[in-house]
Amino acid sequence: MTAPDPGRAAERATAPGPETALAAETGPARLGAPERVAVLADIHGNLPALNAVLAEPDVLTADLVVLLGDIALGPLPGPTLDRLAELGDRAVWVHGNCEREMVTAFDGGVVPGPFGAEAAKSAALIGRAHRDRLDGLPLRVTLEVAGLGPVLFCHASPRRDDEMVLVDSPPERWAEVLAEVAEPVVVLGHTHMPFDRLAAGPRVINPGSVGMPYGHDGAAWALLGPEVTLRRTSYDTAAAVAAITAGPYAGAADWAAEYVAQHHSDVAALAAFTEIAEQQAAGEPAG
């Protein structure tokens, strides 16, 4: 999710071929159920935060690292994708709304809504190989995880890359969103706030955001197998602000001040996201 206000809520360097997509879908079955899976959502081009999480011992030793969408739309998109490419076959990529928007902007299309400018700014900082890495990523991936069974991973919801469902969404809303889901566990991002709850049957987990957390400091992520642990990694935010500000992203200093030096509260974010959810439910354009 590109952050609303709060929020302007808001790769590999080689293009994926068909065999890469196939590996993302069938790799876990070939390898057997991974014992531990690290889940990183909503990195948003915040490379210093990403580096801090990737240095965590439990991420270094995880069997797989699931990248849960909204990966690169932010101040350092190219270096972020290059860093994630180093994970090789350990990475499982899922697309979010920001991947779709960056590809559209890179191709010269117009991204509707109030956050099109952010997509265009980030798209201008990536190359063709980055763009091709983002294009065609799956909306959802199911992996067998030791101790948890089949786990469905998606960015916003199992059916849309921008659907807004919140920790406090009513049971009937969750029942609608998860109506076609057979897996007992669903892991999703998009709202930048961590939670772990039962929702109309399945257990739903949101790891929070690596690069643009709401309601707390640090970079949020999750470790799965055999239990579920919501984690938070501290990093040097002053150094991160300096690194981001020194980069080529237009408005980098403002971005770093808003999302790294400080953070939006969970109360403010929930209020903004609830408004978007209501607009989506009414079939109105979300603004």
Side-chain angles (χ1 to χ4, degrees):
M1 174 72 191
T2 29
D5 237 359
R8 299 181 316 258
E11 272 101 359
R12 205 158 176 157
T14 57
E19 70 282 358
T20 306
L22 181 64
E25 294 287 344
T26 65
R30 173 171 50 83
L31 298 172
E35 294 291 327
R36 293 194 303 171
V37 175
V39 186
L40 282 57
D42 297 285
I43 299 166
H44 279 288
N46 184 343
L47 182 61
L50 171 63
N51 281 333
V53 172
L54 292 179
E56 288 275 12
D58 283 335
V59 178
L60 287 169
T61 58
D63 299 300
L64 294 174
V65 179
V66 177
L67 308 172
L68 214 58
D70 284 13
I71 297 162
L73 197 157
L76 296 169
T80 295
L81 294 172
D82 292 339
R83 179 68 180 91
L84 291 170
E86 297 172 10
L87 297 174
D89 290 340
R90 291 178 62 224
V92 177
W93 301 65
V94 175
H95 88 76
N97 58 293
C98 288
E99 282 66 52
R100 169 173 50 80
E101 292 160 0
M102 282 184 66
V103 169
T104 297
F106 187 95
D107 292 347
V110 176
V111 177
F115 312 119
E118 279 76 9
K121 289 194 299 184
S122 293
L125 298 177
I126 63 172
R128 167 59 62 171
H130 295 127
R131 177 258 181 229
D132 290 346
R133 164 36 104 187
L134 297 178
D135 190 26
L137 295 176
L139 174 68
R140 48 192 278 178
V141 170
T142 295
L143 306 175
E144 188 83 19
V145 179
L148 297 174
V151 179
L152 187 153
F153 296 89
C154 58
H155 175 66
S157 84
R159 59 187 188 176
R160 280 178 55 176
D161 65 19
D162 62 350
E163 188 163 26
M164 192 66 68
V165 280
L166 306 169
V167 63
D168 61 349
S169 291
E172 57 271 20
R173 172 63 173 158
W174 280 108
E176 175 193 354
V177 170
L178 302 178
E180 303 301 321
V181 172
E183 293 85 348
V185 181
V186 176
V187 183
L188 48 75
H190 194 50
T191 60
H192 298 210
M193 290 176 287
F195 64 79
D196 181 356
R197 61 159 290 178
L198 293 177
R203 182 181 186 179
V204 180
I205 297 149
N206 190 320
S209 172
V210 170
M212 293 170 61
Y214 296 153
H216 63 82
D217 295 318
W221 56 285
L223 186 67
L224 311 185
E227 306 294 334
V228 174
T229 308
L230 298 177
R231 300 284 294 271
R232 194 184 307 172
T233 298
S234 298
Y235 64 102
D236 187 338
T237 55
V241 167
I244 290 169
T245 300
Y249 184 80
D254 290 340
W255 194 98
E258 183 171 1
Y259 298 118
V260 179
Q262 60 182 2
H263 58 271
H264 292 289
S265 74
D266 56 341
V267 174
L270 279 172
F273 289 149
T274 298
E275 182 178 352
I276 294 174
E278 291 172 350
Q279 292 171 347
Q280 289 180 343
E284 302 170 3

